[in-house]
C-alpha cells in the first residue's frame, strides 16, 4: 500500500506535469522578451509607410551639397529649401525617396538626393479582447501585431492563437493565425501598425490534445473545419514507431468518458470536439 508521502509525491508530479503543458503557441509569447521589441531605429525596408513624426535625412550631392533632417509635419509634408513643400505621408519609403529624387532633379542641375529614414514615429494602438493586459499602448512605427500583443502580456487562457484581428478605421484589414507563423513560416504579421489601430484577440475555439504517437504531443487549438489530419500536422507528424492502425479518441459525452476508434483512412474527414484527446499507439 502506498504511503501518504508517496501519494503526495505522485500528486505533485501530476500537478507539475499539468502546469508545464500549455496550449501550443503560448511559449512563443512567454519567450518574446522586450529586448526583441523594435527600437527607435530606422527601418530600411522600402515598404515602410511614412506618416507624421517620421524623420528623414536627405543628403544633396552636386550643385548643392548639404545634409539635413526633416520631420514630417502634421499635414504629412516636409519643407525643403528651394524645392518647397513635399507631401509624403501615406507613401512608402521607396516611393517617397523616388519623389524627392525627381523633385531634386527638376530643381537643381547635376544634383542627386540620397534619402534615408533617420527616426521612426511613435504610435498608439489598442489591444483588446483576450490579452492578459488589454489597453492602450505606445509603440513605434516599426511595430507589428505580435509586438503589440507581447506588450499586452500575451494571450490569456481564453484567447485564440488562430483568430487575431487587426482593425483599422472600423474595418478588419487582416486576421492573424499564429500557427501560420510558427508552423508555416508566414510573415503576414509583419505589416506595420498605425496610430489608431486596434488588435482584437478573439475567444479561442476548440482545444484538443494529442497524447501519443506523434513527435510533439500537446494541446492544440483547432478551427471548426480542421480534422485529425490537421492535428497530426500541428503535432509535427507521426512518430516513427507509431501504429496508425491503433488510433482512438477519448471524449466526454454527457459527463461520461467514451472511446471512439478511428480508421487512419478517415483522419481527413473526422472532426474533433472541444476537449477531445487523440491517442495513437
Amino acid at each position: 500500500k502506498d504511503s501518504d508521502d508517496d501519494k503526495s509525491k505522485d500528486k505533485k508530479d501530476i500537478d507539475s506535469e499539468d502546469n508545464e503543458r500549455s496550449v501550443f503557441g503560448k511559449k512563443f509569447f512567454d519567450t518574446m522578451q522586450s529586448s526583441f521589441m523594435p527600437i527607435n531605429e530606422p527601418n530600411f525596408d522600402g515598404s515602410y509607410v511614412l506618416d507624421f513624426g517620421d524623420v528623414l535625412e536627405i543628403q544633396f550631392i552636386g550643385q548643392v551639397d548639404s545634409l539635413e533632417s526633416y520631420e514630417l509635419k502634421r499635414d504629412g509634408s516636409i519643407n525643403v529649401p528651394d524645392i518647397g513643400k513635399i507631401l509624403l505621408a501615406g507613401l512608402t519609403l521607396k516611393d517617397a525617396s523616388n519623389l524627392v529624387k525627381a523633385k531634386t532633379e527638376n530643381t537643381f542641375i547635376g544634383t542627386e538626393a540620397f534619402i534615408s529614414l533617420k527616426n521612426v514615429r511613435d504610435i498608439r494602438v489598442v489591444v483588446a479582447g483576450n490579452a492578459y493586459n488589454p489597453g492602450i499602448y505606445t509603440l513605434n512605427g516599426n511595430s507589428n501585431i505580435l509586438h503589440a500583443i507581447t506588450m499586452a502580456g500575451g494571450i490569456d487562457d481564453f484567447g485564440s492563437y488562430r483568430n487575431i484581428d487587426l482593425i483599422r478605421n472600423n474595418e478588419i484589414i487582416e486576421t492573424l493565425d499564429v500557427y501560420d507563423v510558427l508552423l508555416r513560416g508566414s510573415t503576414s504579421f509583419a505589416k506595420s501598425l498605425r496610430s489608431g489601430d486596434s488588435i482584437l484577440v478573439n475567444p479561442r475555439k476548440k482545444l484538443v490534445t494529442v497524447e501519443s504517437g506523434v513527435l510533439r504531443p500537446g494541446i492544440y487549438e483547432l478551427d471548426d473545419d480542421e480534422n485529425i489530419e490537421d492535428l497530426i500536422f500541428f503535432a509535427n507528424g507521426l512518430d516513427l514507431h507509431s501504429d496508425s492502425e491503433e488510433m482512438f479518441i477519448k471524449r466526454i459525452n454527457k459527463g461520461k468518458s467514451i472511446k471512439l476508434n478511428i480508421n487512419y483512412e478517415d483522419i481527413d474527414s473526422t472532426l474533433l470536439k472541444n476537449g477531445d484527446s487523440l491517442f495513437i499507439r
Side-chain angles (χ1 to χ4, degrees), residues 14-32:
I14 292 171
D15 289 344
S16 176
E17 186 176 312
D18 288 343
N19 288 335
E20 289 178 1
R21 174 171 283 185
S22 56
V23 180
F24 179 76
K26 179 177 175 60
K27 289 183 178 179
F28 175 74
F29 290 100
D30 288 346
T31 58
M32 192 173 174

Side-chain angles (χ1 to χ4, degrees), residues 233-253:
F233 169 74
F234 293 159
N236 217 19
L238 294 173
D239 185 274
L240 179 63
H241 304 292
S242 64
D243 182 359
S244 60
E245 297 303 319
E246 291 288 337
M247 183 184 303
F248 66 91
I249 295 170
K250 276 190 176 180
R251 175 175 295 167
I252 302 300
N253 184 34

Side-chain angles (χ1 to χ4, degrees), residues 52-56 69-73 77-79:
F52 165 64
D54 286 327
V55 179
L56 295 177
S69 297
Y70 299 91
E71 181 176 356
L72 269 70
K73 300 176 182 178
S77 70
I78 60 173
N79 199 333

